Amino acid sequence: MLHTFIALVDNKPGVLTRVASLFRRLNINIASLTVGETESEDVSRMTIVCEAAENAAHRIRASLYKLEITREVDEVGRAEAVVRELCLIKVAAGPQSPHGIQSRTQIFELSNVFRARVVDLAPDSIMLEMTGSSSKIEGLIQVLRESSYEILEVSRTGRMAMRRGAHSTRVMRALGSKNHQQTFDDTADPDALDPMNTLPNQFADHEA
C-alpha cells in the first residue's frame, strides 16, 4: 500500500541524498518525492510517497527520526489532509495533429471540464497546467489518450500534502516557533500523536 509522509528536515546540502539512501537501505521504493522551502528558512519540507507493507509505517518513521537532520515526521494517512499534485501536459495541436486544426478548440473544452489551464500555445502544440488529486490528473490523461490526442510530454511533481487545521505543537517546535519552545522527548514513541491532534484514520483525495 502507499504511505504518505511529511518530513521537516534541516535545509542544508546532502539532506536529500541521505533520505533517499535510507529508503534504499530499507528496500522500500519511493513512488514520489517533493522537496521545498517552508515558512522557516532553515527548514525544508519533504513529502514522501512510498510503497510498503501496511504495518511498515512505524519502522519508516523510526528510521527517519534516527537521522540527525530530521526535525518532525508525520504520516498524513493517519489524519485528514489536503493532497495535491501539479502536472504539465503538452499535447499536439495543429494542422498536422490527428484531429486537425479543430484539435485546439476541443482541447480547450476538455481543459474547462477538468479545470486545467492553458499556459502555452505554440503552432503545433498546447501546454496544459493542472492542479488536483492524482486520480483527477490521471483522468485527464486517460481522456486525452482515448480521444486519440498525441501527448508529447508529461511532467508531474508528485504528491504534496498538508494536514488540515492548525499546526500541531510538535510541528511548531520543529519549525523553531518561539511560542512552542517545549522540550521534545526523544525517547517517546515517534508514531504517537498528540491527543489534541488525533483525527480519523482515513482521508480521501479532495477535488480542486
Side-chain angles (χ1 to χ4, degrees):
M1 65 173 296
L2 288 178
H3 299 270
T4 302
F5 295 93
I6 297 174
L8 298 179
V9 296
D10 292 340
N11 183 16
K12 60 184 182 180
V15 171
L16 179 59
T17 301
R18 296 195 61 183
V19 173
S21 298
L22 170 64
F23 279 83
R24 179 182 57 80
R25 293 195 301 270
L26 295 175
N27 196 30
I28 294 176
N29 181 52
I30 297 177
S32 72
L33 173 61
T34 61
V35 187
E37 297 179 349
T38 66
E39 56 272 33
S40 178
E41 62 180 11
D42 60 343
V43 179
S44 292
R45 182 188 187 93
M46 290 187 175
T47 304
I48 308 166
V49 181
C50 61
E51 189 166 355
E54 185 176 358
N55 59 356
H58 176 76
R59 179 166 65 100
I60 295 171
R61 292 190 66 187
S63 298
L64 285 169
Y65 272 116
K66 289 180 181 179
L67 301 177
E68 69 276 8
I69 48 90
T70 302
R71 301 193 178 195
E72 171 65 18
V73 181
D74 186 21
E75 184 189 6
V76 297
R78 292 172 56 93
E80 291 188 359
V82 175
V83 182
R84 292 289 185 271
E85 181 176 346
L86 173 64
C87 179
L88 295 175
I89 308 172
K90 186 186 292 183
V91 186
Q96 305 302 321
S97 64
H99 292 268
I101 197 65
Q102 299 298 324
S103 58
R104 293 184 180 179
T105 302
Q106 296 167 358
I107 293 174
F108 286 153
E109 294 175 353
L110 276 177
S111 66
N112 289 332
V113 171
F114 284 88
R115 296 183 183 178
R117 293 196 308 143
V118 176
V119 293
D120 184 67
L121 180 61
D124 57 353
S125 68
I126 290 178
M127 186 183 298
L128 303 177
E129 175 190 285
M130 184 174 179
T131 303
S133 64
S134 299
S135 60
K136 190 175 180 181
I137 292 173
E138 290 163 3
L140 174 57
I141 294 174
Q142 181 180 356
V143 169
L144 288 170
R145 286 175 174 163
E146 291 181 351
S147 301
S148 301
Y149 291 105
E150 182 183 0
I151 297 179
L152 303 176
E153 292 183 69
V154 174
S155 178
R156 300 174 66 166
T157 62
R159 291 184 184 179
M160 291 179 287
M162 183 175 292
R163 289 179 61 177
R164 300 178 64 186
H167 273 306
S168 69
T169 54
R170 292 176 61 182
V171 172
M172 295 300 291
R173 287 197 299 269
L175 289 170
S177 171
K178 295 181 180 179
N179 296 327
H180 295 81
Q181 295 295 339
Q182 302 177 22
T183 303
F184 181 73
D185 184 4
D186 291 332
T187 64
D189 179 8
D191 200 40
L193 290 176
D194 293 339
M196 65 177 293
N197 295 318
T198 301
L199 294 171
N201 185 22
Q202 59 182 343
F203 72 92
D205 284 339
H206 297 272
E207 297 297 333

